[in-house]
Amino acid sequence: MAKKVHYYYPAAKESLILDDLDEIITLAVNIATGKEVPENTLNGMSLEKYSRYMTAPHRMDLIVAPMAVNNKRLCPLDCSCCYADHHEMMDITEPLPTEEWKKIIDACREARIPMLTFTGGEPLTRPDIVDLVAHASWFVTRLNTNAFHLTRELAQALRDASLDGIQITLYSSDPAIHDDLVGKPGAWEKTVVGIKNALEAGLSVSINTPLVERNKDFASTLRFAHSLGIYCVGCSSLIPTGGAQEQIATGKALTPKALKQILKEAVDLCKELNMEISFTSPGWLDSQELLDLGLPSAPQCGACLSNMAVAPNGQVVPCQSWLNGQTLGDMRTTPWKSIWKNSTCVRIRSQYAGKPHCALKEVK
């Protein structure tokens, strides 16, 4: 094991690798057997401090599906909170073919990026999505979807292609509220069928719920998700980009006070139901408030640090929601070091990333 790790990290001393492996194994054994967590494992390093040692993000989000091609909409839904909507980068003239995305996946491996997320738009609108997931089997892989097109056969094919996890957006347990927020009558039923298909195929399934005033009864959504067999849930407030900007501007987003109350009820309910919950939007609540609520950690901006993204045209952007046209290079042709050390990338990383707020609140 140590030799294999050393192959991927040749600059690391063997003694350091052995010490790290011993710490990981001890931690896993202690957790599995109900023993105390070793004290030295609590002495972690913040992402901000660790960033100077990083040469690539922990995750690359591959936006394999645009919202539209030549103004013809591909995504089957019209979500009012969609971050990917209303961006020129998401309406392209021609999608990248399969082989070009495979080149991008190979480039991510050469850069030693350990995790890939297939997203969009709606990634299941690509007929080659299973082929792309299979090509990425070296990575930890995840797929973000509205599950509108997730048939039983497709779910099984994704599982067979070694997809590690699938995150499905569910706005509400109330069909009328969900359908209203996604702009499509009957969408709730298709999404719920998609969730069931994913579970039946043996995929690791989580749901994500962007929280706004319209679906603030999050507790009912959690109970419904639990009844389906979901034990991992995420929720967020709104990032000021795409369609979400209008929601924020018109007062449809939750106030920090209302958000805090909803999260408090959600954390208490998840403890009761033995569910894991995470809140992913930095900057809406104070870090200490979130920790006091019992959430595992305060969310931080990961742009140009823990996560980056490749847009539908192959261009690298700071994060999957940063679609204002600011690019850092082409993943197929620009050397990775030039992307990582791009002056804009370095500035975003040092100025915003690793801090408990969303850079898009400050960058226009």
Side-chain angles (χ1 to χ4, degrees), residues 47 57 282 300-308 318-319 352-355 357:
L47 182 59
Q300 300 176 345
C301 175
C304 292
L305 181 57
S306 61
N307 57 275
M308 296 170 72
C319 78
Y352 301 111
K355 297 179 175 62
H357 63 252

Side-chain angles (χ1 to χ4, degrees), residues 206-224:
S206 64
I207 67 160
N208 180 63
T209 304
L211 295 169
V212 292
E213 183 67 29
R214 185 82 171 88
N215 66 343
K216 62 184 179 181
D217 184 12
F218 187 40
S220 293
T221 302
L222 290 174
R223 291 187 186 280
F224 176 69

Side-chain angles (χ1 to χ4, degrees), residues 64-341:
V64 295
M67 295 299 295
V69 175
N70 289 321
N71 296 316
K72 182 180 180 181
R73 194 173 183 87
L74 295 183
C75 183
L77 305 182
D78 189 15
C79 301
S80 57
C81 304
C82 181
Y83 302 145
D85 223 346
H86 309 298
H87 293 288
E88 288 186 9
M89 293 184 74
M90 295 302 291
D91 187 347
I92 61 177
T93 57
E94 187 177 356
L96 290 182
T98 305
E99 292 308 312
E100 291 299 296
W101 275 112
K102 286 184 177 181
K103 287 180 184 178
I104 291 170
I105 292 169
D106 292 341
C108 288
R109 180 170 179 174
E110 290 177 11
R112 294 293 184 258
I113 299 168
M115 180 176 181
L116 297 182
T117 297
F118 294 90
T119 186
E122 172 48 54
L124 297 188
T125 59
R126 284 196 70 102
D128 62 354
I129 188 62
V130 173
D131 190 14
L132 293 179
V133 170
H135 190 73
S137 60
W138 180 86
F139 303 84
V140 175
T141 51
R142 188 176 68 171
L143 187 143
N144 296 343
T145 177
N146 54 43
F148 192 87
H149 292 308
L150 191 58
T151 63
R152 180 177 297 173
E153 293 75 19
L154 180 54
Q156 188 59 57
L158 289 168
R159 176 70 179 84
D160 293 342
S162 298
L163 182 68
D164 292 300
I166 188 166
Q167 177 182 284
I168 298 173
T169 302
L170 178 68
Y171 279 92
S172 177
S173 57
D174 184 323
I177 293 175
H178 179 92
D179 289 355
D180 179 45
L181 286 171
V182 304
K184 185 89 169 181
W188 181 87
E189 184 177 356
K190 281 186 170 290
T191 291
V192 171
V193 169
I195 292 172
K196 292 177 179 179
N197 288 337
L199 289 167
E200 183 181 325
L203 287 165
S204 176
V205 185
S206 64
I207 67 160
N208 180 63
T209 304
L211 295 169
V212 292
E213 183 67 29
R214 185 82 171 88
N215 66 343
K216 62 184 179 181
D217 184 12
F218 187 40
S220 293
T221 302
L222 290 174
R223 291 187 186 280
F224 176 69
H226 183 266
S227 73
L228 294 176
I230 301 292
Y231 293 93
C232 185
V233 296
C235 60
S236 61
S237 193
L238 298 183
I239 296 173
T241 188
Q245 292 186 87
E246 188 271 341
Q247 295 283 304
I248 296 170
T250 55
K252 296 173 185 175
L254 292 164
T255 65
K257 182 179 180 181
L259 181 62
K260 185 177 179 180
Q261 182 58 38
I262 290 170
L263 289 176
K264 182 180 185 305
E265 294 173 1
V267 170
D268 291 343
L269 180 58
C270 284
K271 287 180 180 177
E272 176 189 328
L273 299 177
N274 196 28
M275 300 172 73
E276 293 184 14
I277 183 171
S278 62
F279 177 69
T280 58
S281 297
W284 283 94
L285 292 177
D286 180 80
S287 298
Q288 190 57 52
E289 288 182 296
L290 292 170
L291 292 172
D292 290 344
L293 286 172
L295 287 161
S297 61
Q300 300 176 345
C301 175
C304 292
L305 181 57
S306 61
N307 57 275
M308 296 170 72
V310 181
N313 60 1
Q315 292 288 323
V316 179
V317 293
C319 78
Q320 68 168 322
S321 300
W322 203 307
L323 298 166
N324 59 5
Q326 189 170 45
T327 62
L328 307 170
D330 192 308
M331 197 66 195
R332 297 164 294 174
T333 58
T334 308
W336 174 252
K337 285 186 179 180
S338 297
I339 294 174
W340 185 251
K341 294 183 178 180

